Amino acid sequence: MNYNLELLAPVGSMEALHGAVANGADAVYLGGKLFNARHFANNFSNEELKEVIKYAHLNNVRVYITVNILIDNKEMERALDYIRFLYEEDVDAIIVQDLGLARNVRALFPDLDIHASTQMTINNLEGVELLEEIGFKRVVLARETPLEEIKRIRKSSSMELEGFIHGALCVSYSGQCIMSSVIGGRSGNRGMCAQPCRMPYSIMDKDGELLDDWQELHLLSPKDLNTLDYIDEIIDAGVNSLKIEGRMKRPEYVATIVDTYRGIIDKNAKATKEQKDDVRQIFNRGFTKGVGLGDFGRDFITMDRPDNRGTVLGTVVNANRDSVFILLEQDLKKDDGIEFSLVNGKNKGMKAPKDGKKGETLEIKKIGNIRTNSVVHKSSSIDLLERAQASYEEEKNIYPIDMEISVKIGQKPSLQIRYKDYQNINDVDFIVEAAKNKGLASEKIEEQLSKLGDTQFSLNSLNIVLDDNSFLPLSVLNELRRDGCQLLNDALQNIHARVGFDNKEYIQKKKEVLKFKKHETTMDRLLSIKIDRIEQIYDLDLNKLDRIYLPLKDDLIEVLETLNKKDVEVFVATPKIIYGGGMELLKARLDPIKKLIDGVSVENIGTLKFVKENYDLKIHGDMGLNVFNSYSVDFFKELGLGSMTLSPELNLTQIKQLERVSGGNLEAIVYGYLPVMTTKTCPMALVKGCKDDSECENCNFAHGYGLNDRKNMTFYTARGEGFTTIYNSVPLMVLDSMDQIYSAGVGMGRLDFTIETENIKEIQTAYRRYIDHIWNEKEAREFIDTMKDDTEITKGHFFRGVL
């Protein structure tokens, strides 16, 4: 057994905290009211956070606070002030997504542990090593990271590794999803995700027709992760912290899941049928072991519904005008939740009006047009809820302490107090004297030291060392008790022995940390183009662009030799997701062409580290790095990026403020179908029944198919390099706003050609003409109007931003 192993529980309320602690969590993670990725959770106020930290530390449980969203320039100071509060309240670590924020935290609070959020999309050894080099304590690995890659990381890195073992999943790699953002302005990177993955979609074929039998299904909705049968493999791979998802779940869920995993980990045993039944009953969308452990397609996605379905209660065997008759497959108790399937395809629930036994046919009053022969689910179990509640509902604020008091004539009295691994000894400035009359009795000492009603402690044991005929005022005994309890309380609440900042010193240090470094800008009104397929290059006018990004494929030499004859900067674009073997493939593709290209574009920090250490080439940072503020610009410049693509979730005001203070060669995507999701699984695998991605290269569904939503908008998909990209339903088109975008500080506007098969040259020419002042704004808008004849367009977030 790995004794450094940690079971990490989600907390969304004080009751959930009690449930986690009482059932064996080693650590908890939660969010405050500010800067966390679960904006709609029941997050904690600062006063509540104080209570959480105090309660957890008294129970020897660590507390990690999420500060795991992208931070805007104007928010940075407030974020640091919030982290100061957490630091001084003795939080054990913070969980961070934004690398600009992490850089500032490291400078301002060097002894505060920082954990890299799963929103950073860290899924390879190189990414872990880079974060270790800059001072991170732990990485929360991308949920999709396979066990073999975790073993590779563990073998070469001492970084603490955290991995999810149970709960809800994102279908997209975390940090690489902007679907909620582009649809409704609610950004997952800002904690406001509207969960479009849980909505119904239909599959659109290459001819624009909906596939029969593949309409209005939940094609992007993952089942819930459940690794009860695989926990040994996860631990053996090298994961230190086993993370349960569920900050928005009820306390009974937290208690049940923590208790179950605690039991199998401590006993090094498989989960029993009863444990598995409880886990399924408390909440499930169907279960998957996750793509990291090999599930794919139908094993990973729950197509029929996106919500809890509980357990199978029985089958409707008959129904009349007033009643429905259920053949029970398990016992039912009054007030259990029951859910029926209606003829219209919806579900309707109720509380059980009476008990029922397995094997009986139970008659219940009909609550709708219920389908005969349909399955009835038990959505909640009153017995399970009561058991879970009982595990944490006893008094939570009484901590048993052991005392030893010494009262000797001619000496100062002393009191030692112990609680778990903590202890203190204190005395008072009073010399014990011989009593003139009756001496102090042991019973009186015990009576006074037991008066702990105004504290969170209770007396577990008391050892009294007492000289006969000693005199000691009761007020001195009370003082010993009060001072000893206060010392212990202070120690337990400040286990890291941190000293709070002098406010003037903090303000000065913060001012220095927040000082911007202005970087040189060498780009001015440039145009770049990124293509997804090599054949798209033949639709371009190579004389009308300043930089081109080619997909890094085999057999690029002929194309590169042609480009080298043009006055154009040539970069190759690396995949957004790369594992260990992918780095070897990347090297095999880069080595033959390294003298024919100017640079490499990277989308994750692992690739950045690999390219920087192995090649003397320019490095560009693409949108996968989520550059959202000036501090991130500064961070990536220090790491060696010569230019970077700004997050498409920034608006013009934010871009202007960012560039004004930091400069740098900044690029913005100004045309294209933005990638809104990057997934390991493939929606088309649901149609084909694929069990893995071994046949993707030859799959007819790899390109040209799409997901049609409730508003009849189609999000086209493309499979390649081991993952699926889902593109926005309409292209970004800001041709007539290019002057404003350049004036905001963008040095290079980029056209992204992905799923386009026509109008590529026309779009390029239009942008070039407007940029070069050949066209005026009226002509630009006329071109946009012709585009609208074929498709709707969007201006993205340039003029609205995200929540």
Side-chain angles (χ1 to χ4, degrees):
M1 180 61 67
N2 181 352
Y3 290 100
N4 293 319
L5 201 63
E6 170 186 272
L7 184 59
L8 177 57
V11 168
S13 66
M14 289 302 295
E15 291 79 8
L17 173 66
H18 296 158
V21 171
N23 286 281
D26 300 299
V28 295
Y29 69 101
L30 56 142
K33 298 292 186 184
L34 303 172
F35 309 117
N36 90 86
R38 288 290 183 272
H39 179 81
F40 300 108
N42 185 24
N43 296 306
F44 294 85
S45 68
N46 284 3
E47 288 304 310
E48 289 169 331
L49 286 173
K50 292 179 182 180
E51 290 303 310
V52 167
I53 296 167
K54 174 181 174 182
Y55 176 82
H57 284 176
L58 283 169
N59 284 279
N60 200 29
V61 171
R62 294 175 290 280
V63 180
Y64 310 141
I65 304 296
T66 57
V67 195
N68 56 340
I69 64 169
L70 299 179
I71 306 295
D72 173 64
N73 267 18
K74 292 181 179 179
E75 297 171 328
M76 188 62 72
E77 182 173 3
R78 188 178 176 209
L80 292 174
D81 289 342
Y82 173 58
I83 292 168
R84 175 194 177 181
F85 160 76
L86 298 175
Y87 176 87
E88 294 183 339
E89 290 301 322
D90 207 37
V91 71
D92 295 275
I94 58 171
I95 305 170
V96 171
Q97 175 187 11
D98 192 295
L99 282 165
L101 174 65
R103 169 187 174 275
N104 291 342
V105 170
R106 176 59 52 232
L108 201 51
F109 312 99
D111 58 334
L112 176 61
D113 286 349
I114 304 177
H115 296 178
S117 168
T118 190
Q119 291 286 114
M120 279 195 192
T121 327
I122 306 300
N123 65 312
N124 54 48
L125 170 63
E126 291 76 10
V128 171
E129 287 178 333
L130 191 150
L131 292 180
E132 193 169 15
E133 290 168 6
I134 60 177
F136 277 77
K137 178 75 170 179
R138 175 183 296 185
V139 166
V140 186
L141 294 168
R143 294 175 175 89
E144 298 82 359
T145 309
L147 285 185
E148 287 307 310
E149 186 69 16
I150 296 174
K151 291 176 184 177
R152 176 176 175 257
I153 295 169
R154 179 76 297 147
K155 184 178 179 181
S156 301
S157 173
S158 60
M159 177 80 88
E160 291 182 7
L161 303 179
E162 181 175 305
F164 285 90
I165 60 168
H166 198 95
L169 292 166
C170 295
V171 69
S172 176
Y173 283 86
S174 294
Q176 303 304 320
C177 179
I178 60 171
M179 194 167 188
S180 174
S181 167
V182 300
I183 290 174
R186 286 170 51 175
S187 169
N189 285 317
R190 298 277 293 160
M192 303 287 286
C193 182
Q195 295 194 306
C197 55
R198 300 297 182 189
M199 303 307 293
Y201 296 90
S202 303
I203 293 182
M204 182 80 76
D205 68 15
K206 294 180 179 180
D207 298 320
E209 301 293 330
L210 298 180
L211 289 189
D212 292 339
D213 301 324
W214 290 95
Q215 299 178 27
E216 294 295 308
L217 297 173
H218 297 276
L219 304 173
L220 295 176
S221 181
K223 298 177 181 179
D224 284 348
L225 183 64
N226 180 333
T227 64
L228 283 171
D229 290 334
Y230 306 93
I231 205 70
D232 287 346
E233 296 176 45
I234 295 169
I235 294 170
D236 291 343
V239 175
N240 302 100
S241 179
L242 306 172
K243 187 170 193 172
I244 296 165
E245 183 279 336
R247 284 201 281 141
M248 297 179 72
K249 296 289 201 309
R250 62 195 302 171
E252 295 89 348
Y253 171 90
V254 175
T256 300
I257 303 303
V258 170
D259 177 64
T260 303
Y261 278 93
R262 180 83 276 163
I264 67 169
I265 291 168
D266 288 351
K267 294 177 183 177
N268 196 21
K270 295 294 184 183
T272 65
K273 179 183 182 301
E274 291 74 18
Q275 287 175 314
K276 289 183 177 181
D277 288 345
D278 283 350
V279 166
R280 185 173 295 277
Q281 182 63 74
I282 200 68
F283 191 95
N284 81 90
R285 297 181 177 91
F287 284 132
T288 173
K289 63 179 180 289
V291 294
L293 284 166
D295 275 356
F296 193 79
R298 297 177 190 177
D299 292 330
F300 183 70
I301 296 293
T302 171
M303 294 184 287
D304 55 339
R305 57 186 295 186
D307 52 0
N308 179 39
R309 73 279 315 273
T311 57
V312 174
L313 175 63
T315 305
V316 175
V317 294
N318 195 11
N320 57 36
R321 188 180 68 178
D322 300 315
S323 301
V324 61
F325 299 85
I326 310 167
L327 177 60
L328 298 178
E329 296 182 24
Q330 60 170 299
D331 291 347
L332 181 71
K333 187 172 181 180
K334 185 177 183 294
D335 290 330
D336 282 349
I338 306 176
E339 188 179 75
F340 295 97
S341 297
L342 305 183
V343 172
N344 64 7
K346 296 183 179 180
N347 301 301
K348 191 170 184 178
M350 64 178 291
K351 286 187 177 181
K354 54 187 174 181
D355 293 349
K357 292 292 184 181
K358 179 179 178 180
E360 292 180 355
T361 298
L362 187 72
E363 180 182 359
I364 294 178
K365 184 177 180 182
K366 197 173 181 182
I367 60 169
N369 193 5
I370 297 169
R371 290 190 295 122
T372 305
N373 298 321
S374 63
V375 174
V376 182
H377 288 91
K378 184 196 285 188
S379 57
S380 64
S381 163
I382 196 71
D383 275 343
L384 177 58
L385 293 174
E386 288 175 351
R387 272 191 284 126
Q389 290 164 1
S391 72
Y392 61 83
E393 279 191 339
E394 64 268 16
E395 178 58 60
K396 295 298 169 185
N397 293 318
I398 301 298
Y399 306 98
I401 58 176
D402 301 303
M403 292 184 179
E404 181 172 318
I405 188 168
S406 175
V407 181
K408 293 186 176 183
I409 295 172
Q411 298 179 17
K412 293 180 180 180
S414 65
L415 177 66
Q416 181 185 71
I417 298 180
R418 295 185 302 277
Y419 174 73
K420 293 188 176 180
D421 296 331
Y422 300 93
Q423 68 177 23
N424 65 66
I425 300 175
N426 71 299
D427 57 29
V428 293
D429 191 16
F430 184 92
I431 302 299
V432 178
E433 301 171 352
K436 294 180 180 178
N437 297 308
K438 187 178 180 181
L440 183 65
S442 296
E443 294 77 11
K444 197 63 179 177
I445 293 175
E446 182 172 1
E447 178 185 341
Q448 294 305 116
L449 295 184
S450 299
K451 292 181 177 179
L452 298 167
D454 59 346
T455 74
Q456 66 270 28
F457 303 116
S458 63
L459 185 60
N460 179 57
S461 69
L462 174 62
N463 184 38
I464 300 174
V465 179
L466 175 65
D467 281 355
D468 292 338
N469 202 39
S470 296
F471 169 74
L472 187 67
L474 297 185
S475 61
V476 174
L477 283 174
N478 293 338
E479 184 178 352
L480 279 170
R481 183 196 70 236
R482 286 194 302 268
D483 290 351
C485 287
Q486 186 61 50
L487 285 170
L488 179 59
N489 192 63
D490 292 345
L492 291 174
Q493 290 184 64
N494 189 16
I495 60 176
H496 300 287
R498 293 179 187 144
V499 178
F501 282 90
D502 172 78
N503 198 51
K504 188 176 289 186
E505 175 189 341
Y506 168 76
I507 291 171
Q508 180 57 38
K509 191 173 181 181
K510 179 177 64 173
K511 184 178 179 181
E512 293 170 5
V513 168
L514 290 174
K515 190 180 297 181
F516 294 107
K517 183 188 294 183
K518 186 77 172 180
H519 296 280
E520 182 184 6
T521 301
T522 58
M523 294 177 173
D524 183 31
R525 292 184 72 88
L526 301 184
L527 180 67
S528 62
I529 292 178
K530 181 179 180 182
I531 58 174
D532 190 58
R533 303 186 306 279
I534 289 297
E535 58 266 27
Q536 290 172 321
I537 198 169
Y538 302 111
D539 293 320
L540 298 176
D541 184 339
L542 299 180
N543 297 308
K544 294 181 178 177
L545 69 159
D546 301 292
R547 178 185 287 185
I548 188 167
Y549 301 93
L550 304 175
L552 181 57
K553 306 285 187 182
D554 296 321
D555 303 322
L556 283 180
I557 291 178
E558 185 177 338
V559 171
L560 291 171
E561 287 175 343
T562 300
L563 286 168
N564 284 172
K565 297 173 185 177
K566 303 291 182 180
D567 185 21
V568 57
E569 202 174 20
V570 181
F571 279 64
V572 289
T574 56
K576 188 173 288 187
I577 306 299
I578 300 183
Y579 296 110
M583 294 297 180
E584 296 171 9
L585 178 60
L586 188 151
K587 189 174 190 304
R589 288 174 171 174
L590 272 179
D591 281 351
I593 63 171
K594 59 186 179 183
K595 294 182 179 179
L596 297 174
I597 60 176
D598 296 286
V600 180
S601 176
V602 302
E603 297 224 48
N604 71 67
I605 64 172
T607 312
L608 166 56
K609 176 179 170 65
F610 180 83
V611 173
K612 181 181 178 183
E613 292 180 349
N614 289 279
Y615 298 95
D616 185 21
L617 292 165
K618 295 177 183 178
I619 306 176
H620 173 83
D622 210 338
M623 65 174 282
L625 296 180
N626 286 321
V627 176
F628 202 76
N629 56 60
S630 299
Y631 305 97
S632 294
V633 170
D634 195 40
F635 173 84
F636 283 119
K637 291 291 286 186
E638 290 175 359
L639 284 180
L641 292 190
S643 57
M644 59 200 79
T645 305
L646 296 173
S647 165
E649 296 188 308
L650 288 168
N651 62 37
L652 276 183
T653 301
Q654 292 169 311
I655 292 172
K656 187 180 297 183
Q657 206 270 338
L658 184 157
E659 195 281 333
R660 180 177 60 82
V661 296
S662 63
N665 290 324
L666 305 179
E667 177 184 75
I669 300 170
V670 296
Y671 169 81
Y673 291 85
L674 290 175
V676 295
M677 278 191 186
T678 303
T679 72
K680 177 60 178 173
T681 192
C682 177
M684 302 308 145
L686 302 172
V687 181
K688 295 184 62 182
C690 304
K691 289 292 185 180
D692 56 40
D693 59 359
S694 59
E695 299 297 323
C696 291
E697 192 171 335
N698 303 311
C699 179
N700 182 52
F701 287 80
H703 298 278
Y705 284 76
L707 303 175
N708 189 259
D709 71 4
R710 298 168 301 157
K711 297 182 179 180
N712 199 32
M713 304 300 288
T714 300
F715 299 80
Y716 283 94
T717 67
R719 186 78 183 175
E721 302 291 341
F723 58 89
T724 293
T725 301
I726 301 175
Y727 294 100
N728 194 16
S729 57
V730 296
L732 173 70
M733 168 67 82
V734 288
L735 174 61
D736 57 338
S737 303
M738 288 304 297
D739 285 340
Q740 292 169 268
I741 292 170
Y742 284 132
S743 295
V746 171
M748 181 179 285
R750 189 173 94 197
L751 315 180
D752 278 9
F753 294 113
T754 52
I755 62 176
E756 293 88 346
T757 57
E758 54 187 29
N759 295 327
I760 291 176
K761 183 170 288 186
E762 289 79 6
I763 293 168
Q764 178 198 2
T765 301
Y767 272 87
R768 184 82 265 176
R769 286 175 176 172
Y770 188 74
I771 292 168
D772 291 343
H773 304 295
I774 297 171
W775 276 6
N776 57 32
E777 195 169 312
K778 178 176 179 293
E779 289 168 308
R781 288 177 177 167
E782 287 173 353
F783 179 81
I784 292 172
D785 288 338
T786 64
M787 285 283 296
K788 290 180 179 178
D789 292 338
D790 298 321
T791 179
E792 294 184 36
I793 65 168
T794 176
K795 284 186 174 287
H797 291 300
F798 283 110
F799 297 97
R800 63 170 182 168
V802 296
L803 297 175

